[in-house]
Amino acid sequence: MASKLRARDIMSGGAHCVGAHESLMDAAKMMRDLDVGCLPICGDNNRLMGMITDRDIVITCCAEGVDPMTVQAGSMGGKVHWIDADADASEVLRTMEEQHIKRLPVIDVKGGHRLVGMITEANLAKNLSDAQIAEFVSRVYATAG
């Protein structure tokens, strides 16, 4: 990985948000239409307030017998980790490894704190060496011994 790479160089741009007041059904349809398994949740001010995965919808809603039309996406937002678009690639990798996350929202802090993209495992695979990918996998997917 080149030392000059920044988060904005690694990310996929054009991340779509599900609105905090939209239903989990709306989020599921958006995931289907975009062919993604995770969406950022944005509040009324278009600021990132959480992340929701397809697994979240299944485990916390459907498996509990709750109608996904009745649950707002914003209720699923917990602690969210993100990275500044100008952060060094090594910081991106460190954040994802330390937090054991596979998707990382990218925020343009200087540009009004807007969500500008997402970094996924696929983005890392395109920019990391085989050794770095192996290290990432061992840290993120490691199970408790």
Side-chain angles (χ1 to χ4, degrees):
M1 177 168 45
S3 61
K4 302 237 187 241
L5 278 180
R6 301 279 175 213
R8 71 175 69 252
D9 301 321
I10 299 169
M11 71 180 196
S12 294
H16 295 271
C17 283
V18 62
H21 299 295
E22 292 184 75
S23 73
L24 293 186
M25 182 66 77
D26 294 329
K29 288 178 180 179
M30 186 180 284
M31 287 181 199
R32 177 200 62 204
D33 295 345
L34 295 170
D35 193 26
V36 298
C38 178
L39 286 172
I41 303 168
C42 292
D44 293 334
N45 59 1
N46 282 332
R47 298 264 176 135
L48 180 67
M49 62 179 285
M51 297 283 286
I52 187 167
T53 67
D54 48 5
R55 187 174 192 281
D56 293 333
I57 295 170
V58 170
I59 299 298
T60 61
C61 184
C62 299
E64 296 298 324
V66 178
D67 180 357
M69 289 294 294
T70 65
V71 180
Q72 291 185 348
S75 69
M76 303 293 284
K79 181 171 172 87
V80 62
H81 300 280
W82 56 272
I83 195 98
D84 185 348
D86 291 325
D88 186 82
S90 61
E91 187 178 342
V92 169
L93 189 57
R94 184 173 48 254
T95 299
M96 293 177 79
E97 287 175 351
E98 288 175 359
Q99 301 305 321
H100 297 276
I101 55 177
K102 302 168 198 160
R103 303 166 186 102
L104 186 63
V106 180
I107 303 291
D108 186 355
V109 174
K110 292 179 187 171
H113 213 270
R114 295 175 306 112
L115 176 70
V116 293
M118 293 284 288
I119 296 175
T120 66
E121 296 166 299
N123 298 118
L124 295 180
K126 292 176 186 174
N127 292 282
L128 299 177
S129 69
D130 289 346
Q132 290 168 312
I133 293 168
E135 181 71 17
F136 173 79
V137 168
S138 70
R139 290 180 187 236
V140 173
Y141 290 96
T143 57

